[in-house]
Amino acid sequence: MASQMKDVEIPEKALKELLLSKHADYIGAYGTKKDDYEYVMTEYLRMNGIYWGLTAMDLMNQLDRMNKEEVIGFIKQCQHESGGIACSVGHDPHLLCTLSAIQILTLYDAQDAVNTEKVIEWVRSLQQDNGCFYGDKWGEVDTRFSFCAVACLSLLGKLDCINIDKAVEFVVSCMNYDGGFGCRPGSETHAGQVYCCVGMLAITGCLHYIDADLLGWWLCERQLPSGGLNGRPEKLPDVCYSWWVLASLKIIDRLHWIDKDSLIAFILASQDDETGGFADRPGDMVDPFHTLFGLCGLSLLGNKSVKAINPVFCMPEETMQRIGIQLDLL
């Protein structure tokens, strides 16, 4: 019953307006605090964090506040001889970091700052005989990596360098009876994996494999009485699922199945009116990850004070138009 669901309560005095200037100030200052404990301890997420922050700033029309030369220089230092790109200097390359780096360079129209031919060859080398992708040389398999690989190659205009049929076959093998997807065949459906698999099938032109009504139902069941969305049953709502769930619904043309007003209220209530930024849920600590995905969720829900977001690549639509990528969604 609904009364037994894990959920949160929205405070009566919760914020109801989007504090754009505070969020821009929060992101703008985040990378300057290099001695902070939080900054030091998240080095393993550095490349992803830069992508989250820059994309958030771009959505708010504030990208010019960031140090473009410093960012591009950092990415160049993180590219390995193999072609892959690491989360930070001195770390091993990984597909998750490589996609973030290519997304950043695409935002800045600076893909030529790295050796893209080596990036392409490295990504291609990670595909296995069954179509899946390793995340790096250590061999972990996850449908997130299938998405990262095809998204990266698509942004670089080289999607045809892999075995697309096999890649799609592997992702489809991860589909479950509820219409969703897990990280590997037989794994539990999770909203984050759903986004990755739906996005991968969108990029490869294979959305016809999806049962949109069945998957749409599962995704809409993620909305709780508070208005927030969770990633799987019996979990608390989290602002980041305003991206993973909504983007998936947008791709399969079922976004109108969500109670938009209550979700908007949940997202806005998760802002911090003192520091700026969004938290995972009202009252928690803010961070760049949830700040980006809170803004993305509001964009998908029609907020015109932020740029339109592309539901597949999680980049501004204007950037996708500039580079000539236009996908057929359901």
Side-chain angles (χ1 to χ4, degrees):
M1 293 184 294
S3 60
Q4 296 177 326
M5 290 182 181
K6 292 184 178 180
D7 201 1
V8 298
E9 290 189 12
I10 306 297
E12 288 186 10
K13 296 183 178 180
L15 291 167
K16 295 179 173 62
E17 296 181 3
L18 179 58
L19 308 177
L20 273 185
S21 62
K22 282 188 174 289
H23 301 323
D25 289 343
Y26 166 70
I27 294 294
Y30 189 84
T32 65
K33 303 173 182 177
K34 293 181 170 57
D35 293 329
D36 281 8
Y37 177 79
E38 179 184 359
Y39 187 88
V40 172
M41 293 304 293
T42 55
E43 184 181 12
Y44 70 101
L45 290 172
R46 187 72 67 240
M47 190 66 71
N48 309 100
I50 294 173
Y51 156 72
W52 300 329
L54 292 178
T55 305
M57 292 297 268
D58 200 358
L59 289 175
M60 295 185 286
N61 286 291
Q62 297 288 324
L63 185 58
D64 59 354
R65 289 178 56 173
M66 311 304 279
N67 191 325
K68 176 180 176 179
E69 289 72 26
E70 181 181 349
V71 169
I72 293 175
F74 174 75
I75 293 174
K76 291 171 70 173
Q77 292 180 66
C78 292
Q79 184 172 29
H80 282 236
E81 180 62 28
S82 65
I85 301 173
C87 63
S88 191
V89 179
H91 290 250
D92 289 339
H94 196 283
L95 263 176
L96 294 172
C97 314
T98 301
L99 174 58
S100 288
I102 296 302
Q103 287 172 305
I104 294 166
L105 294 173
T106 303
L107 286 178
Y108 276 134
D109 196 16
Q111 290 184 356
D112 58 356
V114 297
N115 188 328
T116 54
E117 291 303 316
K118 281 196 170 185
V119 173
I120 293 163
E121 179 56 30
W122 181 75
V123 173
R124 189 201 62 76
S125 73
L126 294 172
Q127 187 173 28
Q128 306 304 303
D129 290 343
N130 69 347
C132 75
F133 284 84
Y134 288 169
D136 57 18
K137 66 181 181 180
W138 303 111
E140 181 185 6
V141 174
D142 191 308
T143 46
R144 291 178 302 161
F145 310 150
S146 295
F147 171 77
C148 288
V150 300
C152 188
L153 294 173
S154 180
L155 289 172
L156 294 173
K158 289 291 184 178
L159 189 57
D160 59 352
C161 79
I162 57 170
N163 188 327
I164 295 175
D165 290 342
K166 277 291 186 180
V168 168
E169 183 180 319
F170 173 75
V171 167
V172 172
S173 75
C174 298
M175 187 184 298
N176 291 322
Y177 69 92
D178 52 18
F181 297 83
C183 59
R184 288 180 293 276
S187 296
E188 176 188 13
T189 295
H190 185 283
Q193 307 295 149
V194 168
Y195 162 77
C196 290
C197 293
V198 171
M200 186 273 186
L201 294 175
I203 293 170
T204 55
C206 292
L207 286 172
H208 56 276
Y209 284 107
I210 292 172
D211 184 332
D213 285 343
L214 182 60
L215 177 56
W217 172 84
W218 187 90
L219 289 167
C220 289
E221 283 290 299
R222 306 280 58 77
Q223 189 163 33
L224 298 170
S226 65
L229 303 166
N230 62 18
R232 52 197 171 105
E234 300 304 317
K235 296 295 182 180
L236 287 171
D238 187 318
V239 162
C240 72
Y241 293 109
S242 304
W243 170 251
W244 313 117
V245 172
L246 289 188
S248 301
L249 287 169
K250 177 70 172 178
I251 294 169
I252 64 172
D253 194 28
R254 300 296 185 275
L255 186 57
H256 56 287
W257 287 9
I258 282 285
D259 182 340
K260 294 184 179 182
D261 290 341
S262 65
L263 178 53
I264 289 171
F266 175 83
I267 297 172
L268 294 177
S270 302
Q271 301 174 101
D272 190 311
D273 63 348
E274 294 184 7
T275 65
F278 289 79
D280 55 353
R281 56 190 66 92
D284 285 357
M285 290 289 292
V286 301
D287 59 70
F289 175 84
H290 290 95
T291 299
L292 169 61
F293 294 127
L295 292 169
C296 287
L298 292 173
S299 177
L300 287 172
L301 292 166
N303 190 301
K304 300 301 182 184
S305 62
V306 294
K307 293 181 181 179
I309 189 77
N310 183 278
V312 176
F313 289 91
C314 196
M315 298 167 66
E317 282 284 11
E318 64 181 29
T319 300
M320 308 314 298
Q321 292 172 6
R322 170 170 57 79
I323 64 175
I325 292 182
Q326 183 174 1
L327 303 177
D328 292 327
L329 308 182
L330 290 185

